[in-house]
Amino acid sequence: MAGVADRIRTILEERGWSERELGRRSGFATPSQLNGVLRNLDRDEGAVERATLKRIARGAEVSERWLLLGEGAPGDEDSARGPTSRESARPHMMNAIGFDDALAEAKRREPKIRAHAWEAVAGSSRYILRGIVTPEDIIKLARVAEELADPARIEAALEAQTARVRELEAQMAREHAAKKAAAAKKATAPKRGARGR
């Protein structure tokens, strides 16, 4: 099963429940709220808050980790899992479900991506990631970061800019010298009106 919405639909199918029934068991205010959650999950899993997904896991009596990440089995008792110590040290990551685990798995899957890219993802993810984080999400970000934040590329761009500034300064100096020489030549040239007197 590919995602959270698929796992919710599997629960409904296996138990013979309607969306309204699972919504009621999850404590939603309106019976059709689960339908909206499923539509949002189909579009973007990050668009649904973790608290909402936890309510669905409790209502369905399944493991939160299974529902959110597809890990383990539905009947596992891991719904009380709190953040890891590293997640707790970074409260901004609390909404990025499983970030540290997904980062470790992404690094394992893509060992050729350089360290600066992983560091850029870890540093900027608080502004980018919401909801459930998968290794694939992190790999995509790391590939972009590797291209954009490559130290060699940045250094080459800075060197090119420095060379361009030097060219412009030299051109300005030549133009200034040419103007100064023209002014000096004009100042030393005999005046036409002075000869005829």
Side-chain angles (χ1 to χ4, degrees):
M1 288 173 285
V4 178
D6 297 316
R7 289 188 283 279
I8 292 172
R9 289 185 179 107
T10 296
I11 292 165
L12 296 174
E13 185 179 317
E14 288 178 354
R15 299 191 182 172
W17 291 349
S18 66
E19 289 177 9
R20 287 175 170 263
E21 176 62 18
L22 180 53
R24 184 189 67 74
R25 289 171 177 263
S26 301
F28 291 144
T30 60
S32 61
Q33 193 172 352
L34 183 65
N35 183 270
V37 169
L38 288 169
R39 281 196 314 270
N40 287 338
L41 286 169
D42 285 335
R43 277 196 321 269
D44 175 15
E45 288 192 346
V48 178
E49 293 182 7
R50 181 178 185 173
T52 301
L53 298 175
K54 286 175 80 168
R55 288 174 69 181
I56 294 170
R58 279 195 303 272
E61 299 175 353
V62 297
S63 157
E64 179 184 331
R65 192 162 186 83
W66 174 80
L67 182 67
L68 300 180
L69 303 173
E71 296 176 1
D76 290 348
E77 292 193 27
D78 66 346
S79 60
R81 174 194 177 267
T84 66
S85 58
R86 288 184 354 213
E87 288 170 337
S88 296
R90 296 185 322 208
H92 62 273
M93 295 305 282
M94 289 298 290
N95 67 334
I97 301 166
F99 178 83
D100 288 323
D101 295 336
L103 178 62
E105 177 62 16
K107 287 179 177 180
R108 188 190 67 73
R109 290 184 192 178
E110 294 292 332
K112 291 183 180 178
I113 293 178
R114 292 178 288 186
H116 76 271
W118 299 122
E119 290 168 13
V121 169
S124 64
S125 57
R126 73 180 118 192
Y127 306 109
I128 300 168
L129 299 173
R130 288 184 20 223
I132 301 165
V133 179
T134 66
E136 291 77 20
D137 296 331
I138 293 177
I139 289 168
K140 287 176 192 172
L141 289 172
R143 286 183 178 143
V144 171
E146 187 170 40
E147 183 179 327
L148 296 178
D150 180 15
R153 180 178 174 208
I154 292 170
E155 188 174 333
L158 287 173
E159 286 175 7
Q161 285 292 86
T162 302
R164 179 68 179 138
V165 167
R166 287 185 184 136
E167 281 177 30
L168 292 172
E169 286 174 344
Q171 181 181 350
M172 287 174 58
R174 286 191 300 272
E175 289 173 2
H176 180 70
K179 285 181 183 179
K180 194 173 180 181
K185 185 176 179 182
K186 185 177 179 180
T188 58
K191 297 187 179 176
R192 288 186 185 199
R195 275 189 170 168
R197 290 187 194 187

